Amino acid sequence: MTRPTGRALRLTVFIGENDTWHHKPLYSEIVHRAHTAGLAGASVFRGIEGFGASSLIHTSRLLSLSEDLPIAVVIVDTEPRVRAFLPQLDELVSEGLVTLEDCEVIRYSGRDDTPGTTDKKGKKSL
């Protein structure tokens, strides 16, 4: 796993909750592949309402449409690492939206990081 700081790319994949890859939720497959690829992290966010290219509104307020809510998978890492991951998304995402945005990582630390110590690469944490 990398620990990006400074300039980075934010990759966002917008899909539906019911989208699958080999009978498994597509969002889960994306997260597991990002982990295997050594990317810094991935998060899945479930929307309460939205629409996409089909113009069909999906909402949690109507029982008949509540089964396929919008999902956003967000990954942030360095530009080379994110761009190297894009071919996997080409394989996985047949319907949806994939975006890239420049961003800046201000702080990236895990629960096991103790302030004032150094990590395995000798980087001092805050």
Side-chain angles (χ1 to χ4, degrees), residues 26-88:
L26 179 57
Y27 61 84
S28 181
E29 183 67 17
I30 294 169
V31 168
H32 284 87
R33 286 194 185 198
H35 184 261
T36 300
L39 293 173
S43 296
V44 178
F45 300 94
R46 184 179 191 216
I48 58 171
E49 189 168 54
F51 71 94
S54 69
S55 293
L56 179 64
I57 293 180
H58 301 270
T59 179
S60 62
R61 292 182 291 147
L62 300 173
L63 293 177
S64 63
L65 297 177
S66 65
E67 299 168 354
D68 192 24
L69 293 173
I71 296 288
V73 182
V74 179
I75 298 168
V76 176
D77 207 323
T78 62
E79 182 172 356
R81 295 180 68 77
V82 169
R83 290 201 182 275
F85 186 68
L86 292 178
Q88 292 199 53

Side-chain angles (χ1 to χ4, degrees), residues 94-113:
S94 59
E95 294 179 5
L97 175 66
V98 178
T99 64
L100 289 174
E101 300 89 25
D102 289 321
C103 65
E104 183 178 358
V105 175
I106 304 300
R107 180 182 170 123
Y108 178 70
S109 59
R111 289 193 178 114
D112 295 336
D113 296 343

